[in-house]
Amino acid sequence: MEKVVIIGSGPAGWTAALYTARAQLAPLVLTGQQPGGLLTTTSIVENFPGFPEGVDGYELMTRMQKQAERFGAKTSFGVVESVDFSQRPFTLVVDGEKVAAETVIIATGASHKPLGVHGEHELETKGVTYCATCDGALPAFRHQPLVVVGGGDSACEEAQYLTRFGSIVYLVHRRDSLRASKIMAERTLANPKIKPIWDSAITEILDVQKDTVTGVKLKHLKTGVESLLPVAGVFIAIGHVPNTELFRGIITLDENGFVVPEPGTMTNVPGVFVAGDCADHIYRQAVTAAGAGCAAAIDAERFLAAASR
Ligand code: NAP
């Protein structure tokens, strides 16, 4: 029987593991299909406190893992297939094996929604990115034309942020108006360095043969006219998908699938806690996820202490 099982191994999961390990609870971390989470797909993380020169995303996650393991966290490269939270101890089926847990911390993160065009996957981290805050300041993007895809608050925020670095920021949206909140949309459209390209879709990201982004192919959705737009970076901001399907019907989710936390990091099931991007559609930063992981660990520890009294 595990005292604490942590589902997910991003900054939220490893921080929850570090704190519960130091509380002598020997947490079991189930890494999921992408050990280290989304951050491992980023090149340099320059906004995680304590790394003035920046740190490779993969290295940061490896360091977090080592730190948690040093205090007794156990790692299993397992994928959770199903959960039964109807009674305690909870039961998780992990790669066909049953795991019993007194408490569970859900830290399954979110996946970026992909565009699904040729060149996107091939050029990821070579000019294609899903996070302006993480990658916008990289030398390859400085004083270069950049393109953001999307029409929501994320796309507006990314475009505005990128105007600090790029020579011009194109905002490609499939409609003729933004979905973003009014204030964000107005601010974005008023920025002289942002040039919207309406009613358009990116149909291909170039140039896979050169192994770096040199531009995008565009299609005007009303006229069908195709064109080429030279850019050094493609920032995809068409939304995130929280990795919460496993908990549908068991844990309270909002209309977009994000876990709805009760006060603190509790969920609707006592003993099941949540941390990180699977419950956060606003901040979505490594450091806020790590902070939430810490909070969930403290909540789980207190829950166990109260249950044993
Ligand atoms: P979002 O509001 O769902 O917007 C996604 C945008 O991407 C939409 O404009 C959508 O187009 C477009 N899109 C979706 N799939 C596409 C595809 N396959 N190809 C091209 N375009 C596609 O997502 P978000 O901007 O990430 O925001 C998510 C939530 O977080 C929202 O509630 C938002 O308000 C919040 N948020 C808030 C802030 C802030 O307040 N500072 C910042 C970021 C996010 P359509 O418009 O045609 O559907």
Side-chain angles (χ1 to χ4, degrees):
M1 161 91 73
E2 304 292 340
K3 286 195 171 67
V4 182
V5 169
I6 297 163
I7 312 177
S9 57
W14 285 125
T15 307
L18 173 63
Y19 273 76
T20 47
R22 285 175 59 83
Q24 314 262 295
L25 297 172
L28 173 66
V29 180
L30 303 170
T31 64
Q33 266 158 353
Q34 188 174 32
L38 263 192
L39 215 60
T40 58
T41 65
T42 306
S43 43
I44 300 290
V45 181
E46 290 185 326
N47 54 10
F48 200 87
F51 296 91
E53 298 84 21
V55 58
D56 178 81
Y58 182 82
E59 188 192 339
L60 179 62
M61 298 321 301
T62 308
R63 281 170 172 260
M64 284 194 194
Q65 176 175 353
K66 280 188 185 153
Q67 192 175 358
E69 286 174 346
R70 184 181 149 214
F71 293 101
K74 300 170 289 183
T75 306
S76 167
F77 296 97
V79 174
V80 181
E81 289 158 357
S82 64
V83 294
D84 180 355
F85 292 161
S86 60
Q87 56 179 13
R88 285 205 318 129
F90 306 124
T91 306
L92 296 85
V93 177
V94 185
D95 294 333
E97 302 281 324
K98 280 190 177 173
V99 174
E102 286 183 52
T103 62
V104 171
I105 297 175
I106 299 171
T108 47
S111 303
H112 42 244
K113 193 173 157 195
L115 256 188
V117 298
H118 181 63
E120 178 182 16
H121 174 64
E122 294 86 342
L123 296 172
E124 193 173 339
T125 76
K126 295 168 184 166
V128 174
T129 152
Y130 300 84
C131 177
T133 323
C134 319
D135 298 331
L138 293 177
F141 299 136
R142 297 214 176 211
H143 314 297
Q144 300 294 324
L146 306 172
V147 65
V148 175
V149 199
D153 280 325
S154 294
C156 289
E157 209 167 57
E158 304 261 289
Q160 286 175 47
Y161 183 73
L162 289 170
T163 57
R164 301 178 197 188
F165 310 109
S167 55
I168 182 164
V169 179
Y170 298 104
L171 182 59
V172 172
H173 185 34
R174 62 187 179 182
R175 296 179 196 273
D176 62 1
S177 64
L178 297 172
R179 163 193 291 274
S181 54
K182 205 162 188 297
I183 190 163
M184 286 284 257
E186 280 177 3
R187 211 180 286 156
T188 303
L189 298 177
N191 191 318
K193 282 185 81 178
I194 297 175
K195 186 176 180 326
I197 300 179
W198 302 117
D199 295 315
S200 297
I202 290 179
T203 53
E204 185 177 342
I205 300 173
L206 307 168
D207 186 336
V208 173
Q209 285 199 336
K210 291 188 179 145
D211 205 27
T212 189
V213 168
T214 59
V216 293
K217 273 191 193 170
L218 291 177
K219 183 174 183 183
H220 194 280
L221 297 171
K222 287 186 175 156
T223 63
V225 171
E226 295 188 317
S227 57
L228 265 182
L229 183 70
V231 289
V234 180
F235 292 77
I236 297 167
I238 60 170
H240 281 79
V241 194
N243 301 322
T244 54
E245 268 313 300
L246 189 60
F247 310 110
R248 191 166 289 282
I250 302 170
I251 295 292
T252 307
L253 308 178
D254 71 11
E255 70 276 14
N256 294 317
F258 291 91
V259 176
V260 180
E262 310 254 324
T265 65
M266 272 189 20
T267 67
N268 56 304
V269 178
V272 178
F273 303 87
V274 67
D277 284 10
C278 61
D280 171 19
H281 60 86
I282 298 174
Y283 304 111
R284 298 190 305 230
Q285 299 298 302
V287 69
T288 51
C294 160
I298 291 171
D299 287 345
E301 186 190 345
R302 289 182 182 163
F303 177 88
L304 286 168
S308 66
R309 265 188 225 126

